[in-house]
Amino acid sequence: MEKSKNNNNQHSKKREFSTDENNGNQGKNGFKKSKKDLIGKAKSLLPQRKALPIFSAREKIIKEILNNKALIIVGETGSGKTTQIPQFLHHAGLSKNGIIACTQPRRVAAMSIARRVSEEFGTRLGDRVGYSIRFDDKTSPNTLIKYMTDGMLLRELLSDNMLKKYSVVILDEAHERTLRTDILFGMLKAIQKKRDDLKIIVMSATLDAEKFSEYFDDAKIMYIAGRQFPVKLYQTIQPQEDYLDSAIVTIFQIHTEQPNGDILTFLTGQEEIEAVEKLIIEHAKLLPVTAKKLIPCPIFASMPTDQQNKVFEPAPPDTRKVILATNIAETSITISGIKYVIDCGVAKVRGYNSKIGIESLTIQPISKASARQRMGRAGREAPGCCYRLYTEDAFEELADSTEPEIKRCNLASVILLLKASGVEDIFNFDYLDRPSKTSVARSLEQLYALGALNDDGTLSELGKKMAEFPIEPTYAKVIIQSENLGCTKEIISIVSMLSVDSIFYTPQDKREEAAEAKKKFVNFDGDHITLLNVLKGYQDVHGDKDWCYENFINIRNMKHVLDVRKQLIQFCERLKIDVTASCGHDHEVILKCLLSGFFQNTALRQLDGSYRAIVSGQIVYMHPTSVLFGRKPEAIMYNDLILTSKQYMRNASAIHPNWIAQTAPKYFGNRSLHTL
Ligand code: CDP
Ligand code: MG
């Protein structure tokens, strides 16, 4: 932490924000999990609920919903939209004719909100109130209110194309404009034309609701008055070289200098969050023994359920929580007790260059709208402070809002779902925002190359099977192909391992030991076989905690892997794919199978030793975490391309160059491969 001496990390107080204050009732009580009488618990939460801004609008909301087929509701984050509105609808009798669904872009939000609402309802989670997310369904025939990811509702259209189970569908967090919520807009509008009894509610945390209203034939917009305490804004005087370092310095500055109140730090992803978590624990050891304790609480999308609760529980006496979150904490979940927000100014976003057909994961500046939302999190219950780790000029340069995902994502997976739900004409679908023609064409081309579409553009038998899997079409293809090649056991394991960010962790002070430990798993065919070896090792010791510790394996992620693996096995069994089929140690079979989905993600070594991606012709580099880093196989297949200063191939294996065209003759038949 030498850098902490730099005075350029100091924040200058720039301005004060003050909006409509209110008679703050900041119920902090009653948020502890208890096994006590459920009804008693629900009763104890009632005063807190009644104090939410949305409560006074209750009768009006119910009236509007009963009188309208579609309604747009706009309200500040934390005003009670997500937790209360489905309950209002239930009390108004709307759950008598079907389930009330409320979609969320993020799985952790769906789970944590369902848990909270079932407490408020006074029933067990999964009974009257439940959730459904990929690989995890907590609902029962009793369920009246169902929180679910937008992806899950889209998937349900495959088996129930009129969504007959539902009386109301709430599209929540619509301002986020995720690809799947956007597609749901179109599907629901079409369904409503045939189903007069279906109610649609769109909820948003930002004011730009006109677009939603126009889309639903000028549906009524209701604005819920918010409650926001003043938030003091601090911005750095100079740009920060390393926002992680700067975040840690700021966390400790707040902890040692500022009064009580928890800290919410926005970071970009799990790896970063875990690195900061470890650093906080280390630095906290240097605090005087008399000092208040600092407890890091990570929260990110693939966080195991049992560990999510810590974030919501109040900090014990004489401690301060520092929540380390991705932008999940921006609008989708509300955490009590936050008084300080640290905003690194960036987020991880999925991108797609439709011209060259490359998908990438990049860390990019957030929008002004996001920065304001992040700041708002500090003033929900009392006045607070927001520390932006960037300058005022940098803020001014940010885009006003984030571009809808549909404009910047690979559309292959939703197109596959649309086709499987009976939508044939993808170009003329009723989009809220139309994706570019090139982007749709690229995605159709990719599906065709994977064998999911017939020559006339209709869904093939393979495509139908692929649509059954709740994973990207590339991975679905690989799993289905494994049946033909007799390597399903290995492929399911590898795909599960690839479902988490990272399996290995490397503490800064133990780099050598970690590298040494990793050696026993390394196979120079590449990362895929290496990952397989790790999973085998983990299973041999039955997930022993000490083994993970000694081998620098992230146990949190390994548990998630096993969960995903179990679910994938179930999906395979449903399609009668033999999950025990194994090719033993025949790596060539495994790699060829992976290539059947990832032939577009390949690169060839050039004369000068650099690598050029086959499809785009761009220069790509090996990611330093790959076991192939520093090695020079002739051809490489990879799962992801990470764009930082350069384009890095992550999760890569060495392949024979001839395999590429052999695996995808349809795709490469009339194309020249970029070589030199
Ligand atoms: O959807 P919106 O942002 O308008 O608010 P909400 O998610 O319905 O949250 C309303 C209130 O419920 C928050 O202010 C929290 O105090 C509380 N809540 C909670 O305590 N625990 C949760 N898991 C979710 C919400
Ligand atoms: Mg909400």
Side-chain angles (χ1 to χ4, degrees), residues 229-250:
F229 293 87
V231 177
K232 272 186 200 161
L233 178 63
Y234 298 88
Q235 288 163 299
T236 57
I237 299 165
Q238 289 166 30
Q240 302 295 293
E241 253 172 48
D242 177 350
Y243 64 81
L244 290 185
D245 187 58
S246 183
I248 290 168
V249 172
T250 312

Side-chain angles (χ1 to χ4, degrees), residues 77-78 80-83 104 113 172-173 203 331-334:
T77 305
K81 299 183 299 298
T82 312
T83 52
Q104 295 293 317
I113 292 163
D172 200 1
E173 301 282 293
M203 304 208 293
T331 60
S332 31
I333 57 167
T334 310

Side-chain angles (χ1 to χ4, degrees), residues 26-31 45 48-49 52-54 75-86 104 109 111-117 119-120 147 172-173 203-205 227 312 331-337 377 380-381:
Q26 310 96 40
K28 263 192 178 176
N29 55 328
F31 195 34
L45 293 174
Q48 226 183 88
R49 295 172 56 200
L52 289 170
I54 201 125
E76 290 257 5
T77 305
S79 56
K81 299 183 299 298
T82 312
T83 52
Q84 306 309 311
I85 288 180
Q104 295 293 317
M111 286 158 120
S112 68
I113 292 163
R115 193 180 308 125
R116 165 75 181 191
V117 175
E119 279 180 355
E120 294 183 0
Y147 291 92
D172 200 1
E173 301 282 293
M203 304 208 293
S204 165
R227 175 201 302 148
F312 295 98
T331 60
S332 31
I333 57 167
T334 310
I335 303 160
S336 293
R377 301 289 70 76
R380 244 190 33 77
E381 299 171 339

